Amino acid sequence: MSFSPLIQQLIKALRCLPGVGPKSAQRMALHLLEHDREAALELAGALREAVEKVGECERCRTLSEDPLCAVCASKSRDPSLLCVLESPVDMLAIEQTGGFGGYYFVLKGHLSPIDGVGPEDLGIDRLLDRLDVGEVKEVILATNPTVEGEATAHYIAEQVREMGIRVSRIAHGVPVGGELEFIDGGTLAHALAGRRSLI
Amino acid sequence: MSFSPLIQQLIKALRCLPGVGPKSAQRMALHLLEHDREAALELAGALREAVEKVGECERCRTLSEDPLCAVCASKSRDPSLLCVLESPVDMLAIEQTGGFGGYYFVLKGHLSPIDGVGPEDLGIDRLLDRLDVGEVKEVILATNPTVEGEATAHYIAEQVREMGIRVSRIAHGVPVGGELEFIDGGTLAHALAGRRSLI
C-alpha cells in the first residue's frame, strides 16, 4: 500500500523544489493536507500568479512584474556605473550590502557552449546596445568566480574594451572573517596577486 | 531594494512548507521563476486538487480521496487485528515493513488537553463503535513513544480492556542496528524490562 494517487501526485510535484527529496516532499504533502490546507491553497495561488505575471525588467532583465524593476525605475542612481551579474539573487545580494549606487544588467546564466548557451541567450547584444548610448563609464563584471563565470566575464570584457569603456572585475581574495588555513590555493593565489599597498 | 511584490508573496507562501526558512524559500521561488515555470504550475495544480479532493477514509480516518482507503477496501486482510496510530505517515511506515496484515485506525493526533485536543477530536468514539461490532480480537496501540503518545495509548487501553478485547502496545527497546553506548537511559530501561527469554 502507498498513498492515494492525488497525494502521490502532490509529493511528486513538490520534488520540483530545489533541495526537496522524496522524504521531505512526503513530509510537506502530509503536513499541508493534515494541518494547513489554507496555506496550501495560498501557495497554489501565489505560484500561479507569480508564474503568470512575473516577467523580466526590459532594461536589466531581472525578474519583475512591472516593465521596469525598482532599481531601473529609480532616478537617484549613478548612470555611469553598470554592474553585470549572472542572476537576480546576486543582484539582491549586492543591493543588500547597500554599497553600490549604479545600475545592473542581469545575464541570467553564463556562457556554456556544451548546454547551447551563447551570447544571444544572455542578452549580451542588449547590453552592448545599452553601452552604445554612452551614459555608462564603467562596467563592473560581477559574474561568479567559476570557470564559466570567468569565461563569460572575459568575453564581455573584450567587447566592452573595444568600445573604449572601462571594464573591471570584482576582487577575488580571502573572505572577510575567513581563516587563511582553510582557504583553497586558487583563492590564496588571487589574494596575493591582487594585494593592495597600505600607505 | 528587494524583490517585487508578487515574488515576495511567493517567497512568503513557500514558508508554509515545513523545514523551509526565508533563505530556502527565496531560492525555491527564484529557481521556479527562472528555470521551471511549468513545474511551478503543475505544483499549483497538484496542491489545489489535493486540497479539494483528499478527505479522510470513513473507516480508518487516514488521508484518502476515496470513501475507503486502499487498506480498508482490501478484503484479504485479517479483521481480528486493529492497529491504532497517530498519523497517516505512521501507517505508511508500518505498511512498508510488510509485517502487519490487519487493519488500521488513525487518530490524527494525540490527547493534549493544553491544546484542547480531547478524545472526540481523535475519533475515539468511532474507534469504540468499530470495536463494538465484535470482529476485532486485538487492538495494537502504536502511538508514538512520547509523553502524549503514551497518555493516549493508556486512555484507549483502559476503555478497550473494559470491552473485554485484548490490547497490546508496540515494544520499546533498542533499535535494530543501534549501539547500546549511544542509547538513552529510558529506552535501555524499557529494553531490559521487556526482555524475552531465549529457548
Side-chain angles (χ1 to χ4, degrees), chain A residues 79-99:
Chain A
S80 71
L81 283 176
L82 186 71
C83 180
V84 178
L85 300 158
E86 282 188 34
S87 108
V89 215
D90 302 338
M91 178 168 165
L92 188 75
I94 293 191
E95 275 299 289
Q96 278 168 349
T97 68

Side-chain angles (χ1 to χ4, degrees), chain A residues 1-7 9-10 13-14 16-20 26-28 30-34 37 39-41 43-51 53-54 63-65 70-71 87-89 91-92 95, chain B residues 1-7 9-10 13-14 16-20 26-28 30-34 37 39-41 43-51 53-54 63-65 70-71 87-89 91-92 95:
Chain A
M1 175 254 180
S2 54
F3 290 112
S4 61
L6 284 181
I7 305 182
Q9 175 187 307
L10 176 57
L14 281 163
C16 73
L17 299 170
V20 175
Q26 181 180 307
R27 197 159 61 97
M28 286 172 173
L30 292 178
H31 170 82
L32 291 177
L33 288 173
E34 279 190 81
R37 291 184 175 225
L41 285 182
L43 175 56
L47 281 165
R48 193 172 293 277
E49 208 180 342
V51 167
K53 296 193 186 153
V54 174
L63 291 168
S64 172
E65 64 242 37
V71 171
S87 108
V89 215
M91 178 168 165
L92 188 75
E95 275 299 289
Chain B
M1 174 256 181
S2 54
F3 288 112
S4 60
L6 285 181
I7 304 181
Q9 174 187 309
L10 176 57
L14 281 164
C16 73
L17 299 170
V20 174
Q26 180 180 307
R27 197 160 62 97
M28 287 172 171
L30 292 178
H31 170 83
L32 291 177
L33 288 173
E34 278 190 82
R37 292 183 173 228
L41 285 181
L43 174 55
L47 280 165
R48 192 172 293 278
E49 209 180 345
V51 167
K53 297 192 187 154
V54 174
L63 291 168
S64 172
E65 65 242 36
V71 171
S87 107
V89 216
M91 177 168 165
L92 188 75
E95 275 300 289

Side-chain angles (χ1 to χ4, degrees), chain A residues 28-167:
Chain A
M28 286 172 173
L30 292 178
H31 170 82
L32 291 177
L33 288 173
E34 279 190 81
H35 305 295
D36 218 350
R37 291 184 175 225
E38 213 165 293
L41 285 182
E42 237 168 67
L43 175 56
L47 281 165
R48 193 172 293 277
E49 208 180 342
V51 167
E52 277 163 9
K53 296 193 186 153
V54 174
E56 61 178 40
C57 168
E58 52 193 37
R59 253 176 91 83
C60 76
R61 300 199 355 140
T62 195
L63 291 168
S64 172
E65 64 242 37
D66 301 312
L68 281 186
C69 73
V71 171
C72 288
S74 159
K75 297 276 172 226
S76 60
R77 301 181 74 108
D78 181 355
S80 71
L81 283 176
L82 186 71
C83 180
V84 178
L85 300 158
E86 282 188 34
S87 108
V89 215
D90 302 338
M91 178 168 165
L92 188 75
I94 293 191
E95 275 299 289
Q96 278 168 349
T97 68
F100 180 71
Y103 289 97
Y104 296 93
F105 188 86
V106 180
L107 300 169
K108 289 201 179 168
H110 43 237
L111 291 177
S112 176
I114 289 178
D115 304 315
V117 180
E120 58 291 345
D121 301 303
L122 304 181
I124 293 180
D125 39 349
R126 268 167 64 186
L127 170 63
L128 298 177
D129 286 350
R130 181 158 164 192
L131 297 179
D132 245 355
V133 179
E135 256 190 335
V136 177
K137 303 295 174 218
E138 179 175 353
V139 174
I140 302 171
L141 298 170
T143 52
N144 290 325
T146 55
V147 176
E148 296 90 349
E150 293 292 352
T152 309
H154 187 77
Y155 178 87
I156 297 174
E158 292 275 283
Q159 317 214 17
V160 176
R161 213 175 282 129
E162 275 174 25
M163 299 173 83
I165 297 173
R166 218 173 124 198
V167 201

